């Protein structure tokens, strides 16, 4: 019984349970008409506009999770051997620092992988285009993609974040579960807290939805927690959360004009300044 409930086993299995349980919660909430006003796309578009069926998406995600189980299990096994004679007690401050390091590392890794997948025509056509078959993202399609990309971006990236941070298997249960919840939130298609979408550093469903739009494919590469990498490397695409007047929201792209080409007192200059102020 102790073996089944060991930290190492839980670190492998809990994030998978969290994934499907949280996706199930989103799917259940999504059936309520009261959630329509938070949608970025009509629910019917999940079938009509996407180029892959939900059955195929579920099958793909399950296969990728099997690979993740094998990889993480091996890492945990070696980690246990190395720390068998070391006390597992960790202060809360040290734990917080480890989680922070892992978040930043994984975020940078994901941004780099995602951007490379878009800038290389070969990699996009043969690997990353799978994920963009989901024109309208939804919760349990968060991990849908080519298995090779999933292994490099998610499995290797997450494992590296775990090792670099030095966290214990018990701490990794929380970290990987947090990553799981966040990637689902970013793909759920619901902007439940629109005001949060205006935060200049935090990723969200609306932020990532811009990336899935036709004109947003070269922007908003940040994947999980923060959007500062897009700002630092010049791939940030601003957007506004607007009520479509049909009980739904939308995240239209904001295309800035060069202020030098606009008269300072013209009406459009005030609009641009207002938009810029909203995204500072």
């Amino acid at each position: 019984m102790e073996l089944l409930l060991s930290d190492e086993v839980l670190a492998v299995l809990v994030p998978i349970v969290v994934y499907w349980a949280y996706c199930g919660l989103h799917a259940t909430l999504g059936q309520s008409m009261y959630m329509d006003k938070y949608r970025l796309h009509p629910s019917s578009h999940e079938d009509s506009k996407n180029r892959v069926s939900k059955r195929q998406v579920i099958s793909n995600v399950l296969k990728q999770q099997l690979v993740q189980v094998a990889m993480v299990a091996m890492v945990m096994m070696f980690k246990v051997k190395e720390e068998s004679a070391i006390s597992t007690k960790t202060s809360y401050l040290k734990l917080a620092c480890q989680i922070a390091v892992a978040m930043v590392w994984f975020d940078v890794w994901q941004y780099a992988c995602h951007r490379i997948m878009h800038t290389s025509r070969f990699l996009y056509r043969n690997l990353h285009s799978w994920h963009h078959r989901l024109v309208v993202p939804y919760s349990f399609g968060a991990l849908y993609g080519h298995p090779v990309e999933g292994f490099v971006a998610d499995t290797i990236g997450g494992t590296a974040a775990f090792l670099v941070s030095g966290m214990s298997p018990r701490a990794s249960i929380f970290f990987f579960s947090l990553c799981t919840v966040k990637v689902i939130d970013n793909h759920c298609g619901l902007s439940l807290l629109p005001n949060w979408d205006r935060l200049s550093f935090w990723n969200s469903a609306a932020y990532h939805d811009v990336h899935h739009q036709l004109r947003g494919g070269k922007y908003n590469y940040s994947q999980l927690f923060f959007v500062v990498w897009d700002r630092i490397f010049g791939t940030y695409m601003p957007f506004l959360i607007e009520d479509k007047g049909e009980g739904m929201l939308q995240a239209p792209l904001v295309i800035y004009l060069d202020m030098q080409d606009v008269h300072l007192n013209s009406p459009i200059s005030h609009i641009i300044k207002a938009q810029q102020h909203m995204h500072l």
Side-chain angles (χ1 to χ4, degrees), residues 35-50:
M35 300 303 292
D36 286 345
K37 61 182 179 181
Y38 300 111
R39 288 187 179 279
L40 295 168
H41 301 274
S43 58
S44 60
H45 287 184
E46 293 178 3
D47 295 315
S48 63
K49 289 195 173 184
N50 288 336

Side-chain angles (χ1 to χ4, degrees), residues 183-197:
V183 74
I184 292 172
D185 281 341
N186 291 353
H187 288 82
C188 68
L190 297 172
S191 185
L192 298 175
L193 298 170
N195 289 332
W196 281 27
D197 292 322

Side-chain angles (χ1 to χ4, degrees), residues 219-231:
Y219 303 94
N220 293 12
Y221 295 127
S222 297
Q223 289 276 71
L224 280 175
F225 301 105
F226 314 112
V227 304
V228 293
W229 320 117
D230 281 309
R231 289 182 175 273

Side-chain angles (χ1 to χ4, degrees), residues 3-279:
L3 179 62
L4 292 177
L5 296 179
S6 67
D7 293 342
E8 296 74 31
V9 173
L10 292 176
V12 174
L13 298 181
V14 168
I16 294 177
V17 173
V18 169
Y19 185 88
W20 293 108
Y22 197 52
C23 285
L25 176 62
H26 268 291
T28 301
L29 289 175
Q31 299 300 316
S32 171
M33 63 179 182
Y34 297 107
M35 300 303 292
D36 286 345
K37 61 182 179 181
Y38 300 111
R39 288 187 179 279
L40 295 168
H41 301 274
S43 58
S44 60
H45 287 184
E46 293 178 3
D47 295 315
S48 63
K49 289 195 173 184
N50 288 336
R51 299 190 294 272
V52 60
S53 70
K54 290 180 178 177
R55 182 186 297 272
Q56 291 172 310
V57 168
I58 293 174
S59 175
N60 173 275
V61 172
L62 286 172
K63 291 176 182 177
Q64 292 200 63
Q65 287 178 331
L66 286 176
V67 175
Q68 291 176 4
V69 165
M71 179 75 172
V72 175
M74 288 190 295
V75 172
M76 291 297 175
M77 179 179 66
F78 287 111
K79 187 79 171 177
V80 170
K81 289 183 178 180
E82 292 177 358
E83 299 182 348
S84 58
I86 302 177
S87 174
T88 57
K89 292 184 179 180
T90 304
S91 67
Y92 288 116
L93 177 60
K94 183 178 180 179
L95 176 61
C97 291
Q98 290 174 336
I99 295 294
V101 169
M103 288 172 67
V104 172
W105 174 274
F106 201 12
D107 233 37
V108 172
W109 180 279
Q110 289 267 313
Y111 174 86
C113 289
H114 195 189
R115 184 169 181 176
I116 290 171
M117 290 290 174
H118 274 272
T119 54
S120 169
R121 290 186 177 182
F122 175 82
L123 292 178
Y124 181 84
R125 184 183 303 113
N126 292 282
L127 299 181
H128 192 59
S129 62
W130 281 40
H131 183 66
H132 280 271
R133 292 173 183 172
L134 292 175
V135 180
V136 178
Y138 48 80
S139 58
F140 57 85
L143 293 182
Y144 173 75
H146 194 285
V148 173
E149 179 185 359
F151 180 74
V152 174
D154 299 327
T155 307
I156 293 181
T159 302
F162 166 71
L163 295 174
V164 168
S165 67
M167 68 176 63
S168 66
R170 178 170 296 182
S172 74
I173 298 173
F174 171 77
F175 172 67
F176 288 129
S177 296
L178 176 64
C179 292
T180 299
V181 168
K182 194 67 183 71
V183 74
I184 292 172
D185 281 341
N186 291 353
H187 288 82
C188 68
L190 297 172
S191 185
L192 298 175
L193 298 170
N195 289 332
W196 281 27
D197 292 322
R198 296 177 183 175
L199 292 179
S200 60
F201 66 92
W202 196 243
N203 214 324
S204 65
Y207 187 88
H208 192 66
D209 184 74
V210 168
H211 176 75
H212 277 261
Q213 293 181 31
L214 183 61
R215 292 186 298 156
K218 295 182 179 180
Y219 303 94
N220 293 12
Y221 295 127
S222 297
Q223 289 276 71
L224 280 175
F225 301 105
F226 314 112
V227 304
V228 293
W229 320 117
D230 281 309
R231 289 182 175 273
I232 291 173
F233 296 107
T235 53
Y236 176 77
M237 173 60 74
F239 62 95
L240 299 171
I241 298 294
E242 296 180 350
D243 191 330
K244 296 177 65 175
E246 302 172 359
M248 288 183 295
L249 303 173
Q250 63 177 351
L253 283 59
V254 177
I255 307 299
Y256 291 149
L257 300 177
D258 189 341
M259 288 299 296
Q260 295 180 352
D261 297 331
V262 180
H263 192 276
L264 293 180
N265 293 322
S266 65
I268 193 172
S269 71
H270 297 293
I271 295 174
I272 295 171
K273 289 178 181 177
Q275 291 177 338
Q276 289 173 334
H277 178 72
M278 290 181 68
H279 295 284

